[in-house]
């Protein structure tokens, strides 16, 4: 998937266009944080990894911007649990798992 991620500032969302459909992540920026509120992937793109690609690209963009992430979207929060390489972006670090390190 080679689509470019764009920041639609007017709609407060990151957008990824794939095959004529737009998947997006709605956000709210405040000071040095970005709250990722909602992820939507059109049903036509379901099952193709578009949501995961979208989240990865959003987080890479956020990393480049120097902002910290507040993931209130359940999809993004679950995705980040599976990808601890993005934990440095969290505004509030995750608690250490009981019984040891990750």
């Amino acid at each position: 998937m080679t689509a470019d991620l764009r920041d639609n500032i007017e709609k407060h969302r990151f957008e990824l266009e794939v095959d004529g459909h737009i998947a997006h992540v709605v956000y709210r920026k405040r000071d040095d944080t970005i709250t990722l509120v909602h992820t939507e992937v059109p049903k036509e793109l379901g099952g193709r990894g578009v949501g995961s690609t979208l989240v990865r690209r959003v987080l890479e963009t956020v990393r480049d911007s120097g902002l910290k992430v507040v993931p209130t979207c359940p999809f993004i929060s679950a995705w980040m649990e599976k990808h601890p390489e993005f934990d440095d972006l969290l505004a509030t670090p995750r608690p250490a798992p009981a019984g040891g390190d990750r």
Side-chain angles (χ1 to χ4, degrees), residues 4-16 25-29 34 54 58 61-62 65 67:
D4 288 329
L5 182 74
R6 67 178 169 256
D7 184 356
N8 186 331
I9 296 168
E10 292 79 30
K11 291 187 177 182
H12 306 282
R13 68 187 200 179
F14 291 103
E15 299 175 339
L16 188 68
V25 172
V26 177
Y27 65 78
R28 287 191 311 262
K29 288 182 183 178
I34 184 166
L54 173 62
V58 165
T61 298
V62 169
S65 74
L67 296 172

Side-chain angles (χ1 to χ4, degrees), residues 37-84:
V37 179
H38 175 71
T39 302
E40 192 166 317
V41 176
K43 64 181 179 185
E44 294 86 357
L45 301 176
R48 296 173 48 189
V50 172
S52 292
T53 298
L54 173 62
V55 173
R56 180 176 295 280
R57 290 195 183 166
V58 165
L59 293 175
E60 289 168 349
T61 298
V62 169
R63 178 174 277 142
D64 291 345
S65 74
L67 296 172
K68 291 293 184 179
V69 172
V70 178
T72 61
C73 169
F75 180 78
I76 292 175
S77 186
W79 191 94
M80 289 185 77
E81 282 278 339
K82 295 175 188 172
H83 297 273

